Amino acid sequence: MVKNKIFAFAIGVLCSLSLSSKAQDNNFSYYMVEKELEVISATKEYVSYTSVPRYMRVITREELDRWGVRNLFDLLRKFPEFYVRKTEFYLNAVGALGLKQSYFSEKVQVLIDGIPMMDPSTGSSFSTNNNFSLDNVKRVEIVYGPMTSLYGFNASLAIINLITYDSDDLNFKTGTYVNTDGSNDSYFVKTFNSNHWKGLLSLDYNEEKGPYKEYTDPIFGLSSSISAYHKHFTYYVKLKHDSGLYFNFYGVNRDSTFPISLTGLITDGDNTYTDRVAYINKIGLRRSFGEINVDTSLFYNWFYLKRGYNICPADYPYCASIDSSGLIATEKRYVRNYGVNTEVSFRAANGKVTTGFELSQVDMYKTEMAANFIPATTLTALLLGNKTAVQTFPYRELSDEDKILDEAERTIVSPYFQYFFSGERYSVLTNVRWDRSSDVGSTLSYSLSGMFKASERTFLKLNVGKSVRIPSFEEMYIKNNPVLLGNRDLKYEKIYSFMPSVEYTGDTFKFSALFYVSLIRDMIYKREISKITRKWDNASEDVRVKGFVLSLNKNFFEGEVYGELGRRMSFKGIEGTSCAEFPSWKGVVGYSLIRQKFDFDVNTEAYSRVGDVPGYYLVNMVFTFKPMRYASLGLRIDNLLDRKVLYPVSSGAIEGEGRILWLGLDILF
């Protein structure tokens, strides 16, 4: 049924695009916009968008405002190659190109002005920040396919580069938004340009509250209305000096309380929580010596985690009979990542060559565990219903032998090379990177991309290559956890990609099609050991995924009609695992009316069935009123028809968001 609806709206988009139309602006042209656009993410230096031989998306500030997206997850819901979902703990996670990822969404990496946000203990950008704000962003660039050879480990399926404002873009911007479930988002952005310095300061405070409906825990059958709470405070500073000296500092304080415990029991959240702090820093110097450009930088990143476990809440009679406080534990970990990178680029006879060398050190230099029970034995006894085997004691620091994560270190050496040539009819981009990790070994990643201009407005592209994901510290060094075990013998996960695409850009019509085939070798997943135990392991069989993505844009009655359609055609290998949980079909269709005093957008998202979880569709609406040049009022309604949303999890499914109304004010100078 859902598949038929997706076909119907896709056909509707194609039919609507065939109608006669009136451009929203007599001077507007998709072709001229792309011809004048420069992007940085595909090569690490600004080049013309029309010369980039890789499939990519560029989302402008005007589109972000028109669609009313507040954060990165709001944006990714617009594109069918991404699948945004909630995890068991109501955290945001994203899959891409037919592959569901783990809780940490480790195969898609986020960059801020080209600086990776990855937390090395989890291998993910989204554990650093689970709510990347777009309020300080002037443009989002998404590059698809294997990007390890340019940006390092885990840039496997795509990289998302958030390009922030410069002093030439604005002087000052602030705003605040609230919604009907109690969530809020407030921000402040200030740029400056004086005394040879240019820069930006941005602050963002976000609270996310979710009024989720009834949940029944799987052990004792207790039902209750539950709600998660997430808080993010993010701050970012970037400085550039006329001499070429630059400095970037990104920080985030992220606190969450969860409605359920690790065992799936309902809890009040007082003892089930996660507090994270991350500081990501980079200082460097860029200088030019004739045709040679040199960029040398140092980085020092620091990550802190404090996590509370409420395994058996005291308000359950069964748990209270074991210990009057319930079974509680607190974990702390401290991770630092520091290193140096030197990059040299120069113009060769037939193109531009870039070569570099990076040395990186990662230390999980302290882990702590306090509890009123021994994790290695208590959780097993609890899940097996053997209450007499549970032994408790007064809350205390546990010994090193009883921790659930070992301390570890990792040294990585990475030379890399890039060649880029752009001609009138074709362009070529080649990247090669060799990485040597002290605890996993050596690996090679590469990509080869080519573009042929079939006409002035039609581009044929092909991207092939190999990307690499390194096992995270959590996947390798977890111990004393009967539910999930680490594996010190994990190998690199390798993804071999084949991605042909075609793009046509006219004045009032734009179309693109991407076909992807991915072969994942040694895929890292949770292998079932027993009814209650999983262990991180490399899959013994290859995983193969293929599909396509279609994108259409058309000027229509002083606005724009847009349509997106994604299809995962097949998934083979470890089919019975959660890795396969991805919609076979996803589509987005919408219409934006663009006027001087207001913008209006209405769109529909549709998802096919995922495993045993039924598909659904959502209708969303955004209205932006611009009474004056420097101020605007925004109204956004998500899930206008209040459709039921279900996300697949290990215990079956959890219910997502109902109808939500956002209201806010933006001020811009």
Side-chain angles (χ1 to χ4, degrees), residues 25 108 117 223 304 383 464 532 613 628:
D25 188 328
V108 174
M117 296 290 107
S223 296
Y304 167 76
L383 293 175
V464 296
I532 65 171
V613 177
M628 54 192 71

Side-chain angles (χ1 to χ4, degrees), residues 6-19:
I6 296 174
F7 274 123
F9 90 69
I11 294 172
V13 173
L14 293 171
C15 292
S16 67
L17 292 176
S18 66
L19 298 176

Side-chain angles (χ1 to χ4, degrees), residues 172 203 279 302 305 470 516 564 583:
F172 169 79
L203 308 171
Y279 301 129
W302 186 81
L305 165 71
I470 192 170
Y516 61 86
E564 304 274 353

Side-chain angles (χ1 to χ4, degrees), residues 25-263:
D25 188 328
N26 291 332
N27 297 320
F28 177 83
S29 166
Y30 290 121
Y31 171 72
M32 292 305 299
V33 169
E34 289 191 357
K35 190 173 182 180
E36 297 174 2
L37 182 64
E38 289 193 332
V39 296
I40 193 173
S41 303
T43 62
K44 284 192 178 179
E45 66 174 44
Y46 280 104
V47 298
S48 169
Y49 175 81
T50 56
S51 69
V52 175
R54 301 188 64 118
Y55 186 83
M56 65 180 298
R57 290 185 185 269
V58 179
I59 303 95
T60 65
R61 183 70 244 178
E62 291 76 16
E63 290 174 306
L64 297 175
D65 290 337
R66 188 189 317 153
W67 294 337
V69 292
R70 309 295 317 153
N71 57 59
L72 183 57
F73 292 104
D74 288 342
L75 176 62
L76 297 184
R77 288 186 177 94
K78 307 285 288 186
F79 306 135
E81 62 270 27
F82 295 101
Y83 175 41
V84 178
R85 61 186 178 87
K86 294 289 186 181
T87 69
E88 288 89 338
F89 299 106
Y90 295 98
L91 294 167
N92 296 312
V94 58
L97 298 176
L99 280 171
K100 174 188 172 181
Q101 303 177 88
S102 76
Y103 150 72
F104 292 116
S105 305
E106 70 291 329
K107 294 183 183 67
V108 174
Q109 292 299 314
V110 181
L111 318 173
I112 307 291
D113 291 322
I115 300 173
M117 296 290 107
M118 186 178 75
D119 177 351
S121 67
T122 62
S124 170
S125 301
F126 298 108
S127 64
T128 300
N129 193 338
N130 202 239
N131 191 75
F132 283 103
S133 170
L134 300 179
D135 294 313
N136 64 348
V137 171
K138 67 177 179 181
R139 185 174 69 254
V140 179
E141 298 179 4
I142 306 176
V143 187
Y144 295 85
M147 296 294 291
T148 303
S149 52
L150 185 61
Y151 288 105
F153 289 130
N154 295 16
S156 301
L157 299 177
I159 62 102
I160 303 171
N161 197 4
L162 309 182
I163 312 297
T164 63
Y165 288 113
D166 293 319
S167 56
D168 297 334
D169 301 314
L170 57 76
N171 178 39
F172 169 79
K173 181 182 179 184
T174 189
T176 186
Y177 279 74
V178 296
N179 77 11
T180 48
D181 71 6
S183 301
N184 60 82
D185 184 7
S186 301
Y187 69 92
F188 171 89
V189 180
K190 180 71 174 71
T191 66
F192 53 90
N193 184 355
S194 62
N195 297 327
H196 306 289
W197 287 96
K198 295 181 180 180
L200 169 140
L201 168 66
S202 70
L203 308 171
D204 183 87
Y205 179 77
N206 170 275
E207 291 182 327
E208 181 184 352
K209 303 175 182 178
Y212 303 100
K213 298 182 180 179
E214 290 296 309
Y215 171 83
T216 301
D217 69 58
I219 298 179
F220 298 114
L222 179 66
S223 296
S224 177
S225 179
I226 59 176
S227 179
Y229 172 72
H230 310 287
K231 178 175 67 176
H232 294 75
F233 178 55
T234 307
Y235 30 98
Y236 178 54
V237 177
K238 71 173 181 180
L239 298 171
K240 297 180 182 178
H241 191 264
D242 293 344
S243 65
L245 183 69
Y246 62 91
F247 173 70
N248 297 73
F249 170 73
Y250 180 88
V252 57
N253 289 66
R254 170 187 158 196
D255 302 332
S256 301
T257 56
F258 303 112
I260 56 177
S261 74
L262 285 175
T263 51

Side-chain angles (χ1 to χ4, degrees), residues 534-577:
R534 305 292 184 271
K535 181 179 181 179
W536 289 111
D537 206 348
N538 295 108
S540 58
E541 57 183 314
D542 293 342
V543 176
R544 294 175 174 83
V545 184
K546 64 180 178 180
F548 63 82
V549 179
L550 303 178
S551 177
L552 302 152
N553 296 78
K554 181 74 170 71
N555 288 162
F556 189 71
F557 292 121
E558 298 187 354
E560 179 185 61
V561 173
Y562 56 90
E564 304 274 353
L565 186 63
R567 164 78 160 117
R568 186 179 76 173
M569 299 165 61
S570 66
F571 180 99
K572 295 181 179 179
I574 58 175
E575 285 92 342
T577 68

Side-chain angles (χ1 to χ4, degrees), residues 21 43 79 95 160 180 213 326 396 398 441 443 473 490 518 553 610:
S21 65
T43 62
F79 306 135
I160 303 171
T180 48
K213 298 182 180 179
R396 71 186 187 203
L398 302 183
T443 187
F473 282 168
L490 284 175
S518 300
N553 296 78
V610 179

Side-chain angles (χ1 to χ4, degrees), residues 415-447:
Y416 56 92
F417 170 86
Q418 174 179 276
Y419 170 76
F420 177 56
F421 170 79
S422 178
E424 291 186 5
R425 297 298 303 273
Y426 68 93
S427 60
V428 177
L429 176 64
T430 301
N431 293 91
V432 180
R433 184 184 185 103
W434 181 80
D435 292 283
R436 169 70 182 179
S437 170
S438 58
D439 60 341
V440 187
S442 302
T443 187
L444 183 73
S445 57
Y446 55 86
S447 66

